[in-house]
Amino acid sequence: MLDELGDWRKTHYTKDITPELVDREIILGGWVRNYRNLGGLKFISLQDKYGERQITLKRGVVSDDVFDNTKFGYQYCIMVRGIVKAFNEAPGGIEIIPSEIKLLNKTPDKLPIDMTGETVSELDLRLNHRALDLRSLKNQAIVEIRGELLRAIRKFLFKRDFTEITTPKIIGSATEGGTELFPIIYFEKEAFLTQSAQLYKEQLSGVYEKVFEISDCFRAEKSRTKRHLCEIFTLDVEMAFVTMKDVLELLEELVYNAIKDIRENKMGALKYLEMENKTVVPEVSFPRYKYEEIIELINNKNGFNLEFGEDIPTEAYRRLGDELSGYYYITHWPMSIKPFYIMASKNPKYSESFDLQKGMLELTSGGTRVHNKEQLMKALEEKGLNPLSFKSHLTAYDYGMPPHAGLGLGIDRWVSIICGLDDIREAVMYPRTPDRLTP
Ligand code: AMO
């Protein structure tokens, strides 16, 4: 028999049950993470969105009714009314002695994944049961850090006069040059899911000067790696009246401040993930290497002979990872492998572009943009794109487009770095990959 919620309301979350509340009556609600029946003694570990507390039932101390009726399975949904007691041997030095317990919902006898924290179920299995899996303490820590990261980014940018923008995710033509687009049916027309806020953020830098967006974009890449998703969450930043140099400075300050905030506000979560000594506030400024210098570093290693104009393969980054394990910039990429909106350097073989790396992982790319319309049309043609398909974007360049520069940062990749996750899918609540569209 299940109980009704009735007029019971939670008075606290587990995190709020502090020693000041000893001898006070409280109501907690959540799920049974662990349940032990030792005969005359029963323990429930009740977890909610913030953590867990021990509920202790001792025959003779709690009513016979409560004692006898408490027969719980893993992840049963319950509410507990009880008195807070100090007890050194309980986790956190506190236990709850219940006067009443409501059983609100049950689970099957055997859960599809381990929820006690004793073993780790395989990731695909966990993802299949994600709503359950997300209740694990590890996932709670990841999601807390992800939330703090987003808060820290916003805090940092708002302090510096940025305007938060929201741009369409359904678009009529490509933003990054035709490839990797998901087509959709938009009434009678074909449309696409956006790959990035690139063109809109550039247009809006001509309005609000300093803009940022944090949102989804979609990449139809059939990359089955631990670093790629088909739906990604990115931070897009664009600034008017600056060049790449200013963006490099802004980004390293952003990284510095975000990690500082995470350490200040989410040390518990970092510790849970055993990252407290690894995710440390980085020194600024970050080392800066030109693309050609990196190529040379790589080619000095056995087995590599990269030529100018080649993208840098993951394996090469992996080898560099031994020397370059922190945050570092790679600037002045060959113009030939950069998108049309990137400004060429004085020597047009190079471009005013950069990547921010963390070890072997590319976290950000960005650069100075072309703001002159004729130059932009020429760049489109040189990349084999038809300026007519970009007609509406190009009109923005008729009305005094300022010089501008910006960046795009992969939030999911950053979360995996900060949390020490081996697979990017762990950084996302409901990941999308070539093989996964549900849940
Ligand atoms: P780019 O395509 O390099 O640049 O994307 C920016 C950042 O987004 C992340 N990222 C991904 N993460 C997971 N899975 C993927 N499939 C994936 N693709 C990209 C990376 C990457 O550095 N418009 C430009 C940015 C700019 O110039 O402002 C752009 O989209 O961390």
Side-chain angles (χ1 to χ4, degrees):
M1 262 289 280
L2 296 178
D3 297 307
E4 300 271 331
L5 174 65
D7 58 3
W8 278 38
R9 293 297 176 268
K10 292 173 67 151
T11 57
H12 298 81
Y13 288 109
T14 51
K15 73 170 166 62
D16 304 321
I17 307 295
T18 54
E20 288 86 76
L21 291 179
V22 164
D23 293 333
R24 286 259 307 271
E25 186 183 81
I26 49 106
I27 300 179
L28 291 180
W31 297 271
V32 176
R33 193 168 90 84
N34 227 330
Y35 169 67
R36 276 176 300 151
N37 182 353
L38 309 176
L41 198 57
K42 294 175 179 175
F43 294 108
I44 304 166
S45 166
L46 176 147
Q47 85 163 83
D48 62 14
K49 66 180 281 184
Y50 288 114
E52 55 185 327
R53 283 291 170 203
Q54 177 173 302
I55 317 294
T56 308
L57 295 87
K58 196 170 178 186
R59 188 177 285 288
V61 174
V62 301
S63 73
D64 285 352
D65 219 25
V66 168
F67 192 89
D68 293 332
N69 287 330
T70 300
K71 294 186 191 86
F72 291 158
Y74 294 130
Q75 297 298 315
Y76 276 24
C77 179
I78 62 171
M79 283 180 100
V80 176
R81 186 200 293 276
I83 304 288
V84 179
K85 291 285 173 197
F87 180 51
N88 275 343
E89 274 149 62
I94 282 175
E95 62 180 357
I96 314 291
I97 310 298
S99 54
E100 264 178 281
I101 301 182
K102 284 195 181 209
L103 172 57
L104 300 173
N105 232 327
K106 289 187 174 185
T107 57
D109 284 344
K110 193 168 163 11
L111 294 181
I113 51 178
D114 176 80
M115 293 301 294
T116 62
E118 277 154 27
T119 59
V120 181
S121 304
E122 197 255 323
L123 182 56
D124 260 301
L125 185 64
R126 290 205 277 120
L127 292 174
N128 289 343
H129 304 279
R130 194 60 164 161
L132 176 62
D133 177 48
L134 285 170
R135 280 190 209 142
S136 76
L137 300 185
K138 180 180 180 190
N139 280 323
Q140 284 187 336
I142 296 169
V143 169
E144 262 191 55
I145 287 176
R146 191 179 165 105
E148 179 64 24
L149 177 63
L150 296 176
R151 224 182 346 261
I153 292 172
R154 286 199 166 90
K155 183 178 111 183
F156 175 87
L157 292 171
F158 282 138
K159 249 198 216 155
R160 284 159 184 77
D161 286 319
F162 277 82
T163 299
E164 183 163 7
I165 56 170
T166 51
T167 65
K169 303 303 146 207
I170 302 177
I171 53 165
S173 64
T175 49
E176 301 279 330
T179 55
E180 300 164 15
L181 272 171
F182 282 112
I184 57 165
I185 298 158
Y186 192 69
F187 305 109
E188 285 81 39
K189 277 191 250 158
E190 185 184 52
F192 305 94
L193 295 178
T194 188
Q195 297 161 301
S196 95
Q198 184 65 37
L199 305 187
Y200 290 106
K201 70 174 171 175
E202 285 194 63
Q203 292 182 21
L204 293 175
S205 74
V207 183
Y208 306 109
E209 304 183 39
K210 289 161 106 183
V211 298
F212 78 95
E213 173 160 20
I214 299 178
S215 69
D216 295 281
C217 50
F218 305 89
R219 306 281 170 114
E221 289 176 83
K222 277 211 171 139
S223 304
R224 290 179 173 83
T225 77
K226 292 181 173 184
R227 303 173 305 282
H228 288 91
L229 294 168
C230 295
E231 178 170 354
I232 61 176
F233 208 54
T234 59
L235 164 68
D236 274 285
V237 169
E238 204 65 28
M239 296 194 274
F241 309 108
V242 304
T243 65
M244 170 172 89
K245 182 176 156 287
D246 308 83
V247 177
L248 295 178
E249 282 165 14
L250 178 96
L251 180 58
E252 58 200 9
E253 251 193 88
L254 170 77
V255 171
Y256 176 94
N257 280 281
I259 295 188
K260 194 159 157 278
D261 278 10
I262 288 172
R263 289 189 65 87
E264 272 170 26
N265 302 325
K266 294 293 167 195
M267 189 44 100
L270 276 183
K271 281 191 175 151
Y272 190 86
L273 298 166
E274 297 177 359
M275 290 304 285
E276 74 271 26
N277 300 321
K278 293 185 187 144
T279 295
V280 291
V281 181
E283 233 176 79
V284 286
S285 8
F286 297 157
R288 295 176 189 189
Y289 300 90
K290 292 202 160 118
Y291 165 87
E292 270 184 333
E293 292 173 302
I294 287 287
I295 293 281
E296 203 178 308
L297 271 179
I298 293 169
N299 284 348
N300 286 339
K301 311 235 166 252
N302 273 345
F304 289 104
N305 188 19
L306 298 181
E307 306 222 350
F308 184 88
E310 273 185 67
D311 217 341
I312 301 175
T314 310
E315 200 38 50
Y317 280 126
R318 205 187 303 278
R319 293 285 289 281
L320 275 185
D322 307 337
E323 290 150 57
L324 298 173
S325 58
Y327 290 95
Y328 66 99
Y329 285 122
I330 307 177
T331 65
H332 300 93
W333 288 72
M335 194 57 215
S336 56
I337 53 172
K338 280 291 148 184
F340 68 91
Y341 50 78
I342 288 284
M343 180 88 95
S345 302
K346 280 213 171 70
N347 175 348
K349 192 178 152 190
Y350 306 105
S351 64
E352 295 300 297
S353 66
F354 73 92
D355 278 5
L356 174 66
Q357 292 281 137
K358 169 68 171 72
M360 59 166 282
L361 203 59
E362 176 205 315
L363 182 60
T364 308
S365 55
T368 308
R369 325 297 191 183
V370 177
H371 64 281
N372 172 290
K373 187 173 177 180
E374 278 68 50
Q375 213 181 326
L376 194 57
M377 286 170 67
K378 203 164 145 251
L380 278 167
E381 275 163 10
E382 277 168 12
K383 294 283 172 194
L385 298 165
N386 183 357
L388 278 180
S389 332
F390 292 83
K391 197 165 154 242
S392 107
H393 176 58
L394 288 166
T395 56
Y397 289 71
D398 289 331
Y399 310 120
M401 181 62 93
H404 56 284
L407 66 91
L409 177 150
I411 297 286
D412 314 310
R413 283 197 184 169
W414 204 7
V415 171
S416 21
I417 291 167
I418 293 170
C419 296
L421 308 175
D422 170 53
D423 193 313
I424 193 170
R425 291 179 298 166
E426 294 221 51
V428 184
M429 290 183 194
Y430 294 99
R432 290 287 173 265
T433 63
D435 305 311
R436 182 172 288 283
L437 201 49
T438 49

